[in-house]
Structure formats: C-alpha cells, structure tokens
Amino acid sequence: MKVYMIEIKEEKGTTRAGQITELLHRSFAEHQCRGLVFAAAVQNEAITCQRMQSGTCLVAEKDNRLVGTVIVSFFVPPLPDYWPNRDAWYFKVPFAEIGQLAVDPTERRSGIGKALLQKAEELCDGKVDLICLNTALPAREIISFYKHCGYVTMGACSWAATPYNSIILVKPLSTQAKRQSNSLKRWILYRKDRLRVSMCRRFLHRYDEVNI
C-alpha cells in the first residue's frame, strides 16, 4: 500500500494562482449550488492574486498535487469604515483573519483542513491577540468544523451581496482576549437562561388559563 505524505508550506509568489483558483472553485461549488454566496466559488485569478499578496498563503500538497489552501491576513485597528462590526471589542485589538480555507473535494475528511488551520494558527501565535473569521450562517458544517477546532461565536454581520447573515467566529490567543471572550460567553449563557425561564413562564401561564 502506498503511503501519501501531506506537506503544508507557504506559497511564495502568485505563480500557482490559477491552480489555487480552480481548487477554490471545486471546493466551494457545493455551497454555491445551495444558494450560498462565497467569493471563492466564483472569483477569478486576478482576485486570487490580490488575496495571496495581501496575506500569507499556505498550501497543502499530497504527492506533489495541490489539495488545500488557506490565507492568513493580519490587521491592526482602527479598521476601515466598510468593515462590519468594526466597533466590536475583538476588532479593537491586533488580530489575524483566516480566509478561503479550502480542501479538494476528493480529499475531504482526511485531516487536511485541520492541518492547514493549525499551521495558520502557528503563524499567528505571538503576533496577534486573536484569530477571527466569518462565514455564512446557513453553512452549518463549516461552523461546526471551526467550533470543533476551538473557535467560538462572537457575533453576526451582514454583507450587501448576501440575503442572509454571516457568523463571526473567534479564537483568543492572548490572556486579555481570552478574558473578554469568556466574559461574553458567560453573558450569552445568562441571556439564554433568562430566555428559557421567560418561555417556561409563558407556557405555564397559558396552561393555567386553559385548565381553569
């Protein structure tokens, strides 16, 4: 049995932008078929080049074949006015953004996506307070993947090009960011508990009215 080795490395230059664009199209095609609007599903080679040059592009190779990619971009506040939720606490500290994480559909569930993400996180360690990303709220499998890798929901945003909201996921790296994240999670749990109590009270009130 032949054993294939997965190599993850930084892609220097934009020579393979065409191959990466084709990989993105294949990887995000199923989401486009479901009506989700991902730029990666339709962007041209020029856009891919721009994204590669604006951050650090990592690629995964299996037997010298391109099977995965991700881009890590670094930001320091203040952010441009067009940035959604720019006033949120997690955008007021130095952070990195994970974008266009893609794996060839024939190589799904082989650990390539997780390996790419871990390598991207290694690039961020010690440089920023946290890592963030956003993805379509209806893309449950993508959200589940990131949550399994330690990312937590911090908010939602909307884009003019999409008829649905996107979810913002964050992975704190610094002590301060972890403290902020934990405080917000406790507040969210508190609000959920209050909502459950309120719904229970309304139900009991209706039950009493019916059974008087």
Side-chain angles (χ1 to χ4, degrees):
M1 181 177 68
K2 187 174 181 179
V3 177
Y4 293 95
M5 297 297 294
I6 302 298
E7 181 184 7
I8 296 177
K9 60 184 181 181
E10 182 178 344
E11 182 73 7
K12 302 289 188 178
T14 58
T15 304
R16 293 201 293 178
Q19 294 180 49
I20 291 174
T21 302
E22 293 174 1
L23 171 63
L24 291 170
H25 289 178
R26 293 197 304 272
S27 180
F28 285 88
E30 63 182 87
H31 302 298
Q32 186 181 25
C33 290
R34 292 166 50 197
L36 302 183
V37 182
F38 282 94
V42 295
Q43 72 188 37
N44 57 33
E45 185 175 334
I47 297 298
T48 301
C49 285
Q50 291 177 13
R51 289 183 176 272
M52 294 172 70
Q53 292 170 339
S54 67
T56 300
C57 179
L58 299 176
V59 295
E61 293 182 346
K62 178 180 179 181
D63 195 29
N64 296 319
R65 182 171 61 92
L66 181 67
V67 293
T69 184
V70 67
I71 292 180
V72 186
S73 302
F74 295 91
F75 296 91
V76 176
L79 298 175
D81 292 338
Y82 65 80
W83 197 284
N85 292 26
R86 65 190 297 268
D87 293 326
W89 71 266
Y90 42 84
F91 288 149
K92 290 185 176 181
V93 297
F95 70 94
E97 183 184 44
I98 298 293
Q100 299 198 336
L101 173 59
V103 175
D104 192 294
T106 62
E107 301 292 342
R108 295 274 172 81
R109 301 186 184 282
S110 61
I112 295 174
K114 187 174 182 180
L116 278 165
L117 188 59
Q118 289 177 340
K119 187 66 175 179
E121 291 172 355
E122 290 176 10
L123 290 177
C124 301
D125 193 26
K127 297 179 181 178
V128 294
D129 286 18
L130 55 85
I131 306 170
C132 81
L133 61 98
N134 74 84
T135 191
L137 187 58
R140 299 296 182 183
E141 67 284 359
I142 296 179
I143 296 172
S144 177
F145 165 76
Y146 282 112
K147 285 187 173 182
H148 183 73
C149 293
Y151 289 74
V152 294
T153 303
M154 282 291 117
C157 63
S158 60
W159 301 94
T162 62
Y164 49 78
N165 285 335
S166 292
I167 190 171
I168 297 173
L169 296 160
V170 167
K171 188 168 189 177
L173 299 179
S174 70
T175 301
Q176 177 186 358
K178 289 177 181 178
R179 190 181 300 117
Q180 289 271 28
S181 174
N182 289 333
S183 297
L184 183 54
K185 284 191 287 186
R186 285 195 295 270
W187 182 84
I188 290 172
L189 289 174
Y190 168 77
R191 294 298 299 170
K192 286 183 176 178
D193 287 340
R194 295 296 298 172
L195 179 59
R196 292 191 191 100
V197 170
S198 177
M199 292 175 65
C200 183
R201 285 176 177 170
R202 288 199 296 271
F203 172 78
L204 291 175
H205 180 70
R206 289 197 300 269
Y207 179 84
D208 289 341
E209 287 179 341
V210 171
N211 289 276
I212 290 176

